[in-house]
Amino acid sequence: MASADGTREGKLPFVVWVLAAGTFLMGTTEFVIAGLLPEIAGDLGVGVSHAGLLITAFAIGMIVGGPTMALATLRLPRRLTLVWALAVFALGHVVAAVSSSFTVVLASRVVTALATGAFWAVGFVIATAAAGPARATRAVGVLMGGLTLANVVGVPIGSFVGQYTGWRGPFWALAVLAGLASVFVGRFIPATGQRAEMSVRAEVGALRQGRLWLALAAAVLIMGGVLATYTYITPLLTDRAGVPAGAVPLVLVVFGLGALGGTAIGGRLGDRHPMATTLAAATVTALALFLLIPLSTGPVSAVALVFVMALAGFTVNPVVTSLAVRFAGDAPTLTSALTTSAYNTGIAAGSALAGQALDSSLGLTGPALIGAVSATLTLLPLIALALSGTKRPARIVAQRTTPARARDNTPAPAPTRP
């Protein structure tokens, strides 16, 4: 049976999968730097810790630039915004690949992050609108699955290629793939017959919803909890659990597979049971992180808990993202950008606190303790959301529309008088 949008019932529109390919590329570029830092530092003549600013610059660009670019491109056609975002993304990688200046490479990372923020903000809105209310969370799960798959496939491949071609090789590859993605987006993202009437005032006005900020707070806390532990998982595995250093990449793949599975579970269950899904997943995440403290002395238990941590933690993400977009009602673009900022804020804050805990008397288990506390605190905004109810209003991106003639600046025919 076909649905109203022309797709078979239960299946997502093809446009969602096209956008997921874009999030895969952007997730790869965000995290692949970690595996290339020594090569970048040596080639550009800076210390490894100084080269780490390339990661910080991207995170800051996403936190600040996402909402800024969402508002700056608000009145542009969405397909055009996506194409330009991918084009700037590709150009930023080309500039970095041909430069021998650390400052230029750093600046290109900021510009690339701005383009990524614009793509994510608009992509989430298009995906949820195309999928419809009944499949919105599933569509968000697929888009976030592209980001998660980047950790499982894109980052390891990029790091491996970088060992043989130098760090510039993965940058060239990302530039070419982004250019091809822009062609696909231009081809498969439909120029619909109608466009939304958008205004900065409406987008900012949507931020008055308390439930929206509860969803964003949950996004910050759950991602901060999981990534606080993940950032410093290598010393925990090697020095405490007894995992050989050569096997650590395999454990990271296990983490990525858990995250991919969690994203899929959240996307499947979140539309029907959003609060039950998130509350259960956050509880399991906190429990896994607490258990990691005493049970990380053996490799089997440590690896199993790393998998559970990723599986449960990433189940929350597509649900709270979809809820945030739903709460925004007729003005979802800025909100979808803020969800990306929320996740990056959680990553930055959680990693910073975990680093301090690692250097404290807590030692190797410090990051896991920080992660467990953050995951436990996630229950507070989720419980508040459950008590407030998530069904009002239940619409997702039900925007006011104007005829396509407005897009083309063609005057509409005068109305016929009765």
Side-chain angles (χ1 to χ4, degrees):
M1 179 181 296
S3 61
D5 59 9
T7 61
R8 293 178 61 185
E9 191 170 349
K11 290 192 174 183
L12 292 173
F14 182 64
V15 62
V16 176
W17 300 99
V18 174
L19 292 170
T23 62
F24 171 81
L25 291 178
M26 294 177 176
T28 299
T29 200
E30 181 170 8
F31 299 112
V32 75
I33 289 291
L36 300 173
L37 279 181
E39 290 78 9
I40 294 174
D43 187 43
L44 299 180
V46 297
V48 173
S49 61
H50 195 62
L53 290 175
L54 297 175
I55 299 175
T56 305
F58 195 94
I60 293 175
M62 286 288 289
I63 293 170
V64 178
T68 303
M69 293 305 297
L71 293 177
T73 61
L74 194 59
R75 295 186 179 276
L76 293 178
R78 285 173 176 164
R79 183 172 67 175
L80 179 63
T81 300
L82 293 178
V83 170
W84 273 107
L86 286 166
V88 172
F89 181 90
L91 181 61
H93 283 80
V94 170
V95 170
V98 300
S99 177
S100 59
S101 167
F102 177 79
T103 302
V104 172
V105 176
L106 186 69
S108 73
R109 288 288 289 174
V110 175
V111 172
T112 302
L114 294 176
T116 300
F119 184 93
W120 274 69
V122 176
F124 273 121
V125 175
I126 291 179
T128 53
R135 295 174 294 175
T137 303
R138 186 178 166 198
V140 170
V142 169
L143 260 66
M144 300 192 75
L147 175 62
T148 308
L149 191 62
N151 284 295
V152 181
V153 178
V155 171
I157 290 178
S159 299
F160 179 78
V161 170
Q163 304 304 316
Y164 292 91
T165 65
W167 67 271
R168 300 176 193 274
F171 273 64
W172 280 113
L174 286 166
V176 171
L177 291 173
L180 292 175
S182 68
V183 175
F184 270 84
V185 166
R187 170 67 178 82
F188 291 107
I189 301 296
T192 56
Q194 294 182 324
R195 65 174 290 187
E197 289 180 353
M198 305 177 200
S199 70
V200 173
R201 179 178 297 179
E203 293 286 341
V204 175
L207 303 184
R208 298 195 192 101
Q209 285 232 40
R211 293 181 301 163
L212 167 61
W213 291 102
L214 289 173
L216 293 177
V220 171
L221 290 168
I222 195 65
M223 188 56 65
V226 174
L227 268 297
T229 307
Y230 177 74
T231 300
Y232 298 100
I233 199 66
T234 298
L236 182 72
L237 292 172
T238 56
D239 299 343
R240 183 173 170 84
V243 175
V248 170
L250 296 178
V251 180
L252 299 184
V253 171
V254 169
F255 175 90
L257 291 174
L260 188 62
T263 302
I265 292 171
R268 286 283 183 177
L269 300 181
D271 285 317
R272 290 172 292 173
H273 310 290
M275 298 321 305
T277 300
T278 51
L279 286 168
T283 300
V284 172
T285 304
L287 182 61
L289 287 166
F290 274 120
L291 289 176
L292 192 60
I293 297 172
L295 299 181
S296 58
T297 53
V300 175
S301 57
V303 173
L305 288 170
V306 166
F307 176 79
V308 173
M309 170 188 74
L311 182 72
F314 277 79
T315 297
V316 178
N317 295 347
V319 186
V320 294
T321 300
S322 181
L323 287 175
V325 173
R326 175 191 299 178
F327 296 150
D330 290 341
T333 306
L334 178 58
T335 297
S336 61
L338 285 173
T339 59
T340 305
S341 297
Y343 290 125
N344 278 275
T345 300
I347 292 171
S351 299
L353 290 174
Q356 294 180 8
L358 183 67
D359 293 333
S360 72
S361 59
L362 296 172
L364 295 173
T365 60
L369 179 59
I370 295 296
V373 171
S374 184
T376 302
L377 291 175
T378 306
L379 292 170
L380 297 179
L382 290 178
I383 291 172
L385 275 176
L387 293 176
S388 68
T390 60
K391 295 297 184 182
R392 53 176 187 83
R395 60 184 178 178
I396 300 181
V397 200
Q399 298 179 325
R400 299 182 301 275
T401 56
T402 56
R405 299 176 185 274
R407 181 187 68 241
D408 301 326
N409 295 321
T410 304
T416 304
R417 293 181 179 276

